[in-house]
Amino acid sequence: MGVENGSQSIPWGGEWRRHFRSDTEMDLVRSWKRRVECPTCKTAAGRACRTAGGRPTSEHRARRDAVGPIPYAKWREEGLIQQRTYTIPAVLKESDKARADFNVDTALADGVAVVRMFLADRLGLFLQVEEAMDRIDDAVRKLIEVRGPVGTADVVTVLASQVVSLLAANAGPDGDPEALFDTTIRTQIDMVRRMNAIEKERADG
């Protein structure tokens, strides 16, 4: 799912990216993702994916799945990218810990685990490191595979309820949580569009 605006297509959910990383790592990741033809937009190997309007966009999920896991470990061994010192806990292990810590059901524990994954790698997310986002994607996917559609729906419900509670608290007794939520989403979308525009300029240049 994405938001399309002119020449930008915004990947959403676990695939949201900002592209401020080293030029070397960016080039390696881009080349890896473009090793095969895209099953979604049929773009040839070596070329950027395209929107329905024919504009360059971030690589589609089907293409990323087709090329397989990005070999960060191999690149680090070869000295092509820097070593990373932060980690993300295994999502199921984190869920079990949350269930024991708070004495809650699986759905709430899974929700806590997802949030803790992001908190555990704040540095990686702040620096917008592609590997950090990939690890989160993989962990969430494993959670979905184990829990199935019903469990996934439970996690979404739990997380949504927590977001609503935080919005109400941040808006205050006289504030409007819905307006605050709309403002937050618009701000995030505008930021991603700006980042995508910068990435497109760098790719075209």
Side-chain angles (χ1 to χ4, degrees):
M1 180 171 65
V3 178
E4 199 164 308
N5 178 30
S7 62
Q8 294 93 35
S9 177
I10 301 173
W12 204 246
E15 293 309 312
W16 180 81
R17 297 286 192 272
R18 283 172 62 188
H19 300 279
F20 286 124
R21 52 184 178 271
S22 73
D23 288 341
T24 299
E25 185 174 345
M26 182 174 66
D27 290 342
L28 286 169
V29 171
R30 180 189 293 127
S31 296
W32 182 265
K33 290 180 178 179
R34 297 178 183 177
R35 292 191 309 149
V36 300
E37 175 185 298
C38 179
T40 299
C41 63
K42 307 305 179 184
T43 294
R47 297 177 60 85
C49 284
R50 302 281 162 170
T51 65
R55 303 280 189 171
T57 187
S58 301
E59 275 60 55
H60 292 109
R61 163 63 80 178
R63 192 179 202 180
R64 292 192 296 269
D65 290 344
V67 299
I70 299 174
Y72 292 110
K74 181 174 181 292
W75 291 344
R76 282 194 294 269
E77 290 175 359
E78 295 174 352
L80 298 178
I81 60 175
Q82 295 180 350
Q83 294 286 338
R84 307 296 184 188
T85 58
Y86 43 83
T87 60
I88 292 180
V91 63
L92 297 177
K93 181 178 179 181
E94 191 63 37
S95 178
D96 289 340
K97 183 177 185 301
R99 192 160 54 246
D101 288 346
F102 303 111
N103 191 27
V104 295
D105 61 16
T106 299
L108 181 54
D110 286 348
V112 171
V114 171
V115 173
R116 279 180 169 175
M117 284 190 300
F118 281 87
L119 293 176
D121 212 352
R122 292 189 298 273
L123 176 60
L125 298 177
F126 176 76
L127 296 176
Q128 300 305 321
V129 176
E130 189 84 12
E131 183 179 3
M133 296 301 297
D134 285 344
R135 287 202 301 268
I136 291 177
D137 284 346
D138 290 341
V140 172
R141 183 180 297 188
K142 290 176 182 176
L143 179 64
I144 292 172
E145 290 174 349
V146 171
R147 301 305 189 213
V150 174
T152 302
D154 289 342
V155 173
V156 172
T157 300
V158 167
L159 292 176
S161 68
Q162 296 303 307
V163 170
V164 170
S165 297
L166 289 172
L167 286 170
N170 287 334
D174 300 323
D176 186 344
E178 291 185 17
L180 177 58
F181 180 68
D182 287 347
T183 298
T184 301
I185 293 299
R186 291 180 188 280
T187 299
Q188 291 177 338
I189 290 174
D190 289 343
M191 179 176 62
V192 176
R193 283 177 176 151
R194 289 196 297 270
M195 296 305 101
N196 278 355
I198 293 173
E199 172 67 7
K200 181 179 181 299
E201 289 178 2
R202 296 178 69 173
D204 291 345

